[in-house]
Amino acid sequence: MSSTLPWRCTTAALVTASLLIPLTACGNDARGPGTEDGRGGAEKTELTVLAASSLTDVFKAAAKTYEKEHPGTRLKFSFAGSQELAAQVEQGAPADALVTADTKTMDGLAADAGAPTVVAKNRLVIATRKGNPEKVGNLDDLADPELKVVLAAPEVPVGRYSRQVLDEQRTDVEPVSREPSVRAVLSKVELGEADAGIVYRTDAATVPGKVDAVEIPDDENAVASYPAATLKSSENPKAAAAFVKWLKTPKAQKLLRDAGFQQP
């Protein structure tokens, strides 16, 4: 009896081990729900943020900081002219938050968005080709009929701001094209398809060495306000509200300041 019992125990142990090995291997290879590493953690929340094109660079940088501070949230951005973003919201595009480059556009979406908060401000500059070969020095110079000037379309916030400052200076400019966003204006100048264009100061700063920025005096300039709000159609209202609130924190504000935006 004593000689057979150890053998039986050993056999039982081997059988048990043979059953456990495949299960352990499955556990290591299987992907847990909502994770990429198979650890079975909580599913991440993906927030879709509609943002004015002038926020492209700073928001991409801010996303890294935000996601590090909020490991359960992933940010996905859609950048375009504010008027295009408004059209997306009105057409029911799935999104969680909205940041426009003017209060007028945001105010027009009161039925679709929560109470907005201004998170940054901006000013205009005249962008010229590298080296400013046409010697553009002020807004009045843009009236030169031989100068190829490009502006944003009047329904675009930067286009309205541009028209505002030109009208106040009584400067009549006939642009060679009217673009759908500030980045499109900047691109035309950068590629040499235009001699000059009016853009936000922060946009000109994104292409150093490729365009020159001619400052517009404060008393001739316009101040652009950037309101942010959650969208009422959001499937993640708490996470969306947390992101909008974060944009006013010292860390987020420093990122905006470093990119050239002004305090709200």
Side-chain angles (χ1 to χ4, degrees), residues 213-227:
V214 178
E215 292 290 331
I216 300 173
D218 286 349
D219 60 351
E220 299 177 8
N221 216 323
V223 178
S225 295
Y226 288 70

Side-chain angles (χ1 to χ4, degrees), residues 49-50 55 59 97-107 109-110 113-121 224-231 240-249 252-253 256-257 262-264:
V49 180
L50 307 179
L55 293 164
F59 267 19
L98 171 69
V99 189
T100 62
D102 67 334
T103 55
K104 180 178 180 179
T105 300
M106 184 66 79
D107 290 345
L109 296 170
T117 179
V118 174
V119 298
K121 292 187 177 181
S225 295
Y226 288 70
T230 58
L231 292 175
F243 173 70
V244 170
K245 184 178 180 180
W246 180 82
L247 290 173
K248 293 293 290 288
T249 64
Q253 287 295 302
L256 288 162
R257 296 297 85 70
Q262 298 177 351
Q263 285 187 325

Side-chain angles (χ1 to χ4, degrees), residues 125-139 141-142 147-150 185-199 204 207-215:
V125 297
I126 302 170
T128 72
R129 289 187 292 143
K130 183 179 178 181
N132 193 6
E134 303 301 328
K135 307 301 180 186
V136 176
N138 52 50
L139 290 170
D141 290 343
L142 299 180
L147 195 70
K148 291 189 293 184
V149 179
V150 61
V185 173
L186 184 66
S187 179
K188 288 279 188 179
V189 177
E190 181 183 354
L191 294 174
E193 297 176 12
D195 298 316
I198 297 180
V199 301
V207 285
K210 296 182 179 180
V211 303
D212 283 11
V214 178
E215 292 290 331

Side-chain angles (χ1 to χ4, degrees), residues 72-88:
T73 302
R74 178 176 177 271
L75 295 177
K76 178 182 177 182
F77 295 103
S78 176
F79 298 103
S82 296
Q83 81 291 348
E84 293 182 34
L85 301 177
Q88 292 178 37

Side-chain angles (χ1 to χ4, degrees), residues 156-173:
V156 184
V158 72
R160 288 200 299 272
Y161 294 133
S162 299
R163 180 50 55 193
Q164 174 187 328
V165 299
L166 290 170
D167 287 348
E168 289 179 355
Q169 294 303 306
R170 298 181 181 179
T171 301
D172 187 15
V173 176

